[in-house]
Amino acid sequence: MPQEEADPEFAKYWAQRYRLFSRFDEGIKMDKEGWYSVTPERIAEHIAERCRCDLIVDAFCGVGGNAIQFAFTCERVIAIDIDPVKIDCARHNAEIYGVADRIEFVLGDFRQIVPQLKADVIFLSPPWGGPGYACADVFDIQTMISLDGFELYETAKRVTPNIAYFMPRNVNMEQLTSLAGPAGKVEIEQNFVNKKLKTVTAYYGELIKSEAA
């Protein structure tokens, strides 16, 4: 167990390590934040299937949980993060899964890189402000993440209308719906692991399933 073991709160994340990465024992690397922010692998696999395309941008790739799965369903992945430690972990983890050659890792701020980006799909999973998000009755995407969730969506929309927005299970659903605009459409999907609601993914643009449109 890594050095975080001194933190009793860490024990629950360690116990779920194989749900985060099934190949954890092959040398997966994570920083402390990665333990509570990486997407469980089964959920990441499902989202990757929904986002299947030629070129996808993972705007906040963290330690690579989603980017790795996107590399199995998309021709190319651009994985961006502002933290060099996370980029290092993500690249290392992608090598373990044998998909590093399909991912371009970019160190930088997604909002500043946007003018140079072209993509079929953008995946947004901005930092949720630490594990304390789970204690809120309702997660506000405008005030409870380090970035304004509305502005972030509009920034991504400058590249493509096909956006997947990954949020906590207690997210304000009305806010996610409002992003689509008065005449727009959105599909909101609840993500379960072992019958427990873990997260929510909102799909916009052509990512919406025809039966949900």
Side-chain angles (χ1 to χ4, degrees):
M1 185 182 292
Q3 61 185 12
E4 290 92 341
E5 64 181 315
D7 182 355
E9 280 293 305
F10 175 75
K12 64 181 179 182
Y13 300 111
W14 176 255
Q16 298 179 44
R17 60 194 182 279
Y18 299 114
R19 293 182 187 173
L20 303 180
F21 288 100
S22 60
R23 301 177 70 170
F24 183 86
D25 287 345
E26 295 179 40
I28 291 294
K29 289 171 60 176
M30 288 199 277
D31 63 353
K32 186 172 183 179
E33 185 180 357
W35 282 100
Y36 57 77
S37 60
V38 67
T39 304
E41 190 168 275
R42 283 173 55 191
I43 295 177
E45 288 175 349
H46 174 76
I47 294 173
E49 284 293 338
R50 289 291 308 266
C51 293
R52 185 181 288 270
C53 65
D54 288 336
L55 177 58
I56 188 167
V57 170
D58 185 348
F60 303 87
C61 73
V63 298
N66 290 101
I68 288 169
Q69 297 306 321
F70 289 141
F72 286 114
T73 63
C74 303
E75 290 299 316
R76 295 294 300 168
V77 182
I78 298 175
I80 303 169
D81 205 282
I82 201 167
D83 183 349
V85 174
K86 288 182 175 58
I87 288 289
D88 177 67
C89 290
R91 182 181 288 108
H92 172 85
N93 296 338
E95 289 173 355
I96 289 176
Y97 278 79
V99 294
D101 61 327
R102 301 172 72 92
I103 306 173
E104 178 183 352
F105 295 96
V106 178
L107 176 63
D109 186 328
F110 165 72
R111 296 167 298 176
Q112 297 178 2
I113 296 172
V114 158
Q116 291 106 47
L117 289 177
K118 291 184 179 180
D120 300 306
V121 175
I122 289 186
F123 176 70
L124 297 176
S125 179
W128 297 346
Y133 70 83
C135 299
D137 291 332
V138 178
F139 185 90
D140 189 313
I141 70 171
Q142 190 167 28
T143 64
M144 295 185 69
I145 57 179
S146 57
L147 311 170
D148 183 321
F150 288 96
E151 290 183 4
L152 184 59
Y153 177 84
E154 291 301 322
T155 298
K157 201 174 175 182
R158 285 157 49 191
V159 180
T160 176
N162 306 321
I163 297 168
Y165 216 145
F166 188 65
M167 283 281 113
R169 62 181 178 272
N170 56 339
V171 68
N172 185 323
M173 298 290 189
E174 291 183 2
Q175 289 182 324
L176 290 181
T177 301
S178 71
L179 292 175
K185 296 179 181 179
V186 58
E187 179 187 352
I188 297 178
E189 182 178 74
Q190 294 179 314
N191 309 123
F192 289 80
V193 174
N194 291 342
K195 299 182 179 179
K196 292 184 178 180
L197 177 60
K198 292 292 185 180
T199 56
V200 169
T201 311
Y203 297 98
Y204 303 87
E206 295 177 4
L207 294 178
I208 297 173
K209 288 182 178 178
S210 57
E211 60 266 30

